[in-house]
């Protein structure tokens, strides 16, 4: 027990410091406001935690039909929480508390309430681990704790944990990785490095990439800065890192391989903007940066040349200087983001090495003299003045400026007093001032940068249970729908504003999803194959079916909820219920979840066809990608219409549309307008000539938004197909500006094929959909060749028919089909993440190799 007391004391102090660092958000929580980002926090973090918790506690770990149109959550949500160690521990603890009836519910609101407490525990663990790392490197415990606090209680930690909670987990694994590095260099013990690599790669493949890249930089410096006398040679060290790292990576295979497959099976347009090597504007890292702010003491010790004689200080200081230079490079930011758009997510490394340098310098305070103080002080003051001069937005009277200047003055005053009197009390006062600065800065950062500038002060129970997130009026409508249904799959189109994961929040199966990783086949289906307009251009999401009746019917879109006055109601939907603000419409032509066909078309046949012809082929047969002889394409269900274009508040020549009024555009006057009751579709390619301006596109009563050419969220998919109810004229309206609009086509649709398909009997029975398992019987009396299922195609689905293995085919561009047998077909489908079994075998073998390696090293 005596030996445990220092550990217990350190845990207690870490928890205390962590709690003080969260004072602002604890106060927010007491008033039912939450430590959750108003955008991605509410749209992704909370819904995904709710979804995965429900899955995991029900014994489902791999697939969910509640995520968009269906997705492998183990792999596609690995970027978020599906394999997060912190989240998995949270699930276990919360499950226990729920079983004991201490916690009553685990809805999205619960996870918002829990966010600040999970963060406090996580940050305490960061402080404890980092303090132990510095102590292992022969830094005194008080100094190590100060250094760890500069790392953990930083603006970036609170920025990460608030906006993208899983980002903050990376703070845990980086010091463990560096401890593993030091264990190999100092003691030739690979166990910690094996464990750290495995945990990092299991937890999150994205931050494993960042952390391992940072670790490689640390190792590179460390190879040329030995810290102890009996370190092994560079060659042997590199062999040890390679062997231990490979075994650690192998242990992670069961999680890492499916995650990387999902990343590679994602689709995101290439970032096309220029990436500079050095930023032309200054990020004020001494006063107001939202990424990293350096304390005055760290700047001072960087200029204290005599400290570089200490090898540990030299290591941390040189890494800190390198990191400061890297911070100002968008190209480096791009490299850490997989060579995509520059992102500043790795700078916690600068906080860590800064903490290490400060900790070593504190232990060397007794070596300072007047001569060793003056020049670093002058250079430090000069650095602060340069940042004041270079920052055109600098405000001397801001709270950040006041805090930075106060810290500078107090630091110099305490240093001078220590040089004069050499008293430990002054030394501890300096350490206390650094801790105080850290805590004050953290809470000021939370107040100004997060609550005010980030609008997090709006995230409250009132918001999360109100009309802008989980509208009580909508919940009553959803309850009405659910009570009407007595079996069979059905989907509801409803989305709160631009929150694509609304179906997860409100517990219904919908048509929208928002995630950095989504099934590429579905994204291509939306963006390219069918050109489904989502009402808003943006990457990493899909939503709605563009009011296209055929698609609703094929994907069991049985209900839509629309605001009163919305005239964009798809064909075949009738009003069945209403509330003060909304109306429920029901689809009269919903098609079965499983449909058989012998009409087989090939994707190659449809390469030059219009999106509407592709839609028709999916409706009447099955589209495969086999490269074999196929059936003739079906008769089109739409007619191409001629029109006369007329400009309104604009000029139009050679495809260039110049809108000269506030809004203007083209009227397409139809020569033979269709009869009322049908639909029109207008297709065109639209590109704005504005360098940096998003815009609203209106086609009659339909509206959709398009991103600026400079936006990192632009899809660069400019071929649009818009559905509107039949009219005599099509009015295309755009804001003032210049556009290129070409390839204009107008179609009318009669929906004869849809009505014919809807009249066919459903020959499936005993349909059961249970997460990653789907089973049904199908009576193939007509001896059809293929059965189509409304399951998005993913590698990982396996099927049996009457007990025999069957091939799972990619069909209809993004969905599943299986070959049928004559007569009754007893069909069973199951999903496991791609390469799950071989990856699990690699993990098991690697774990055994890891034990053997550690045991052999201990024996030696």
């Amino acid at each position: 027990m005596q030996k445990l007391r220092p550990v217990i004391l350190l845990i207690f102090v870490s928890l205390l410091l962590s709690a003080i660092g969260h004072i602002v958000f604890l106060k927010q929580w007491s008033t039912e406001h939450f430590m959750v980002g108003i955008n991605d926090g509410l749209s992704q973090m909370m819904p995904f935690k709710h979804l995965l918790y429900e899955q995991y506690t029900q014994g489902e770990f791999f697939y969910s039909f509640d995520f968009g149109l269906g997705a492998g959550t183990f792999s596609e949500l690995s970027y978020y929480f599906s394999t997060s160690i912190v989240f998995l521990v949270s699930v276990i603890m919360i499950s226990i508390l729920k079983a004991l009836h201490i916690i009553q519910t685990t809805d999205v609101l619960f996870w918002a309430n829990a966010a600040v407490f999970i963060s406090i525990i996580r940050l305490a663990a960061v402080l404890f681990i980092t303090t132990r790392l510095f102590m292992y490197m022969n830094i005194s415990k008080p100094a190590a704790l100060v250094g760890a606090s500069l790392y953990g209680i930083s603006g970036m930690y609170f920025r990460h944990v608030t906006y993208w909670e899983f980002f903050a987990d990376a703070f845990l694994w980086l010091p463990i990785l560096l401890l593993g590095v030091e264990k190999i260099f100092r003691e030739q013990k690979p166990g910690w490095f094996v464990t750290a690599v495995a945990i990092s790669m299991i937890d999150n493949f994205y931050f494993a990439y960042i952390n391992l890249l940072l670790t490689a930089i640390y190792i590179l410096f460390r190879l040329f800065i030995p810290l102890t006398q009996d370190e092994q040679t560079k060659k042997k060290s590199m062999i040890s890192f390679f062997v231990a790292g490979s075994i650690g990576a192998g242990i992670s295979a069961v999680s890492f391989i499916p995650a990387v497959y999902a990343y590679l099976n994602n689709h995101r347009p290439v970032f096309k903007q220029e990436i500079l090597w050095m930023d032309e504007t200054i990020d004020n890292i001494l006063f107001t940066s939202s990424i990293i702010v350096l304390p005055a003491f760290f700047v001072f010790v960087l200029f204290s040349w005599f400290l570089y004689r200490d090898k540990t200080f030299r290591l941390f200081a040189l890494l800190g200087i390198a990191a400061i230079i890297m911070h100002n490079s968008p190209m480096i930011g791009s490299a850490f983001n997989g060579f995509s758009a520059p992102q500043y997510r790795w700078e916690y490394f600068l906080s860590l090495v800064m903490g290490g340098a400060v900790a070593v310098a504190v232990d060397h305070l007794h070596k300072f003299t007047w001569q060793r103080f003056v020049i670093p002080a002058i250079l430090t003051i000069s650095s602060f003045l340069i940042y004041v001069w270079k920052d055109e937005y600098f405000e001397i009277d801001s709270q950040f400026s006041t805090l930075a200047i106060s810290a500078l003055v107090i630091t110099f005053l305490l240093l001078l007093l220590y040089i004069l009197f050499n008293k430990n009390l002054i030394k501890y006062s300096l350490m206390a001032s650094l801790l105080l600065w850290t805590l004050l800065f953290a809470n000021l950062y939370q107040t100004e940068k997060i609550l005010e500038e980030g609008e997090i002060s709006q995230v409250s129970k009132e918001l999360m249970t109100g009309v802008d997130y989980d509208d009580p009026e909508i919940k009553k409508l959803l309850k009405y729908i659910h009570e009407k249904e007595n079996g069979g799959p059905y989907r509801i189109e409803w989305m709160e504003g631009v929150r694509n994961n609304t179906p997860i929040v409100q517990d219904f199966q919908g048509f929208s999803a928002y995630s950095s990783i989504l099934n590429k086949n579905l994204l291509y289906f939306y963006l390219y194959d069918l050109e489904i307009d989502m009402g808003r251009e943006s990457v990493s999401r899909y939503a709605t079916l563009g009011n296209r009746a055929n698609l609703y019917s094929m994907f069991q879109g049985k209900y839509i909820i629309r605001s009163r006055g919305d005239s964009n109601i798809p064909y075949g939907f009738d009003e069945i219920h209403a509330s003060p603000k909304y109306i429920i419409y029901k689809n009269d032509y919903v098609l079965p979840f499983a449909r058989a066909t012998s009409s087989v078309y090939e994707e190659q046949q449809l390469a030059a066809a219009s999106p509407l012809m592709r839609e028709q082929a999916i409706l009447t047969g099955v589209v495969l990608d086999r490269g074999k002889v196929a059936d003739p394409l079906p008769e089109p269900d739409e007619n191409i219409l001629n029109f006369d274009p007329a400009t309104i508040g604009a000029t139009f020549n050679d495809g260039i549309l110049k809108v000269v009024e506030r809004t203007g555009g083209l009227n397409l006057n139809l020569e033979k307008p269709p009869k009322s009751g049908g639909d029109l579709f207008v297709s065109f390619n639209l590109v704005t000539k504005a360098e940096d301006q998003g815009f609203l596109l209106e086609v009659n009563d339909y509206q959709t938004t398009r991103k600026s050419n400079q936006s990192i969220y632009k899809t660069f998919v400019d071929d649009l197909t818009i559905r509107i109810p039949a009219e005599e004229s099509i009015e295309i309206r755009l804001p003032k500006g210049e556009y290129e609009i070409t390839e204009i086509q107008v179609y009318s649709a009669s929906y004869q094929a849809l009505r014919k398909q809807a009249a066919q009997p459903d020959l499936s029975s005993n349909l059961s959909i249970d997460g990653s398992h789907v089973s049904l019987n199908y009576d193939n009396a007509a001896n059809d060749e293929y059965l189509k299922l409304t399951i998005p195609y993913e590698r990982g689905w396996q099927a049996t028919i009457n007990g025999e293995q069957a091939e799972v085919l990619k069909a209809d561009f993004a969905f599943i089909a299986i070959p049928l047998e004559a007569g009754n077909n007893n069909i069973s489908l199951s999903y496991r993440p791609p390469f799950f079994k071989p990856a699990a075998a690699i993990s098991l073998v690697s774990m055994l190799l890891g034990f053997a390696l550690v045991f052999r090293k201990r024996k030696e």
Side-chain angles (χ1 to χ4, degrees), residues 433-478:
S433 74
L434 284 169
L435 272 178
L436 182 62
W437 177 88
T438 302
L439 293 167
L440 286 173
F441 175 81
N443 282 281
L444 177 61
Y445 186 94
Q446 292 165 51
T447 302
E448 289 202 6
K449 297 291 186 183
I450 298 179
L451 290 181
E452 295 176 10
E453 293 180 18
E455 300 181 343
I456 308 305
S457 58
Q458 300 177 28
V459 181
S460 63
K461 181 178 180 180
E462 183 181 3
L463 170 66
M464 293 186 67
T465 57
V467 297
D468 294 324
Y469 191 73
D470 193 6
D471 190 344
E473 186 175 340
I474 292 293
K475 291 176 75 172
K476 289 180 181 178
L477 295 179
L478 292 169

Side-chain angles (χ1 to χ4, degrees), residues 790-809:
T790 314
I791 301 174
Y793 177 81
E794 287 191 52
R795 186 168 184 164
W797 279 106
Q798 293 183 325
T800 60
I801 299 179
N802 298 328
E804 298 292 330
Q805 199 75 25
E807 185 179 8
V808 177
L809 301 168

Side-chain angles (χ1 to χ4, degrees), residues 306-345:
F306 78 94
L307 287 175
Y308 288 84
R309 297 171 190 166
D310 183 280
K311 292 182 179 180
T312 306
F313 178 84
R314 187 191 312 163
L315 173 69
F316 284 128
L318 292 178
L319 282 168
I321 293 168
I324 291 170
I325 296 169
M326 290 161 59
H327 170 74
N328 291 296
S329 171
M331 185 62 73
I332 296 297
S334 172
F336 277 100
N337 195 35
F339 296 94
S340 183
Q343 294 286 1
Y344 301 93
R345 295 169 177 163

Side-chain angles (χ1 to χ4, degrees), residues 625-839:
D625 187 18
R626 305 173 307 174
K628 297 180 180 179
V629 177
D631 296 326
L633 292 176
E635 288 294 320
D637 196 33
E638 74 278 353
N639 297 312
I640 298 177
L641 303 181
N642 294 321
F643 58 86
D644 292 320
T647 56
I648 303 295
T651 62
F652 185 53
N653 294 298
D654 295 327
I656 302 299
L657 178 69
K658 294 182 180 180
V659 178
V660 295
E661 297 184 3
R662 189 172 67 87
T663 59
L666 292 175
N667 280 7
L668 308 180
N669 300 312
L670 303 178
E671 293 182 4
K672 294 182 179 180
K675 297 178 181 179
S676 61
D679 278 350
L680 291 176
F681 293 84
V682 56
S683 294
F684 48 84
N685 181 280
L686 177 65
V687 178
T688 178
K689 296 293 186 178
E691 185 174 334
D692 188 11
Q693 180 182 337
F695 60 94
L696 174 70
L697 166 65
E698 298 177 275
V699 181
N700 289 18
D701 291 334
Y702 183 82
Q703 295 183 339
T704 185
T705 59
R706 309 294 295 168
K707 294 288 184 187
S708 155
N709 288 331
Q710 298 299 317
S711 171
I712 63 173
Y713 302 110
K714 184 171 179 60
T715 64
F716 294 98
V717 178
D718 300 313
D719 290 319
L720 307 178
T721 297
I722 308 294
R723 171 267 178 195
I724 56 172
E727 299 281 355
E728 292 186 2
S729 178
I730 299 172
E731 300 175 358
I732 301 173
R733 294 293 180 267
L734 294 159
K736 186 176 182 179
E738 185 174 336
Y739 309 86
E740 183 177 356
I741 181 167
T742 56
E743 304 172 26
I744 304 173
Q745 293 275 2
V746 179
Y747 307 87
S748 66
S750 64
Y751 296 112
Q752 292 179 6
L754 173 60
R755 292 191 292 272
K756 181 179 178 181
Q757 290 292 324
Q760 301 297 316
D762 183 0
L763 300 178
S764 64
S765 60
N766 299 323
L767 175 62
S768 172
I769 301 175
D770 182 16
S772 53
H773 298 279
V774 177
S775 61
L776 71 154
N777 292 329
Y778 192 86
D779 182 12
N780 189 18
N783 199 21
D784 283 315
E785 193 174 351
Y786 293 100
L787 184 70
K788 297 156 34 113
L789 298 150
T790 314
I791 301 174
Y793 177 81
E794 287 191 52
R795 186 168 184 164
W797 279 106
Q798 293 183 325
T800 60
I801 299 179
N802 298 328
E804 298 292 330
Q805 199 75 25
E807 185 179 8
V808 177
L809 301 168
K810 178 185 170 188
D812 298 339
F813 300 99
F815 296 88
I816 276 175
I818 55 176
L820 281 174
E821 298 178 1
N824 186 58
N825 288 253
N826 188 340
I827 299 163
S828 177
L829 295 107
S830 62
Y831 175 85
R832 288 293 178 270
F835 311 108
F836 186 73
K837 288 183 179 179

Side-chain angles (χ1 to χ4, degrees), residues 167-212:
F167 281 19
D169 292 357
F171 277 73
L172 285 166
W173 316 132
L174 180 59
I176 298 177
L177 279 164
L178 300 192
L179 178 61
V181 170
E182 289 299 324
K183 283 281 187 178
I184 287 178
F185 273 121
R186 294 167 186 261
E187 302 179 54
Q188 294 79 55
K189 292 181 179 179
W192 275 98
F193 192 70
V194 170
T195 303
V197 170
I199 289 175
S200 296
M201 294 178 70
I202 288 170
D203 185 81
N204 185 284
F205 75 93
Y206 175 73
F207 274 97
Y209 166 75
I210 293 176
N211 273 345
L212 292 174

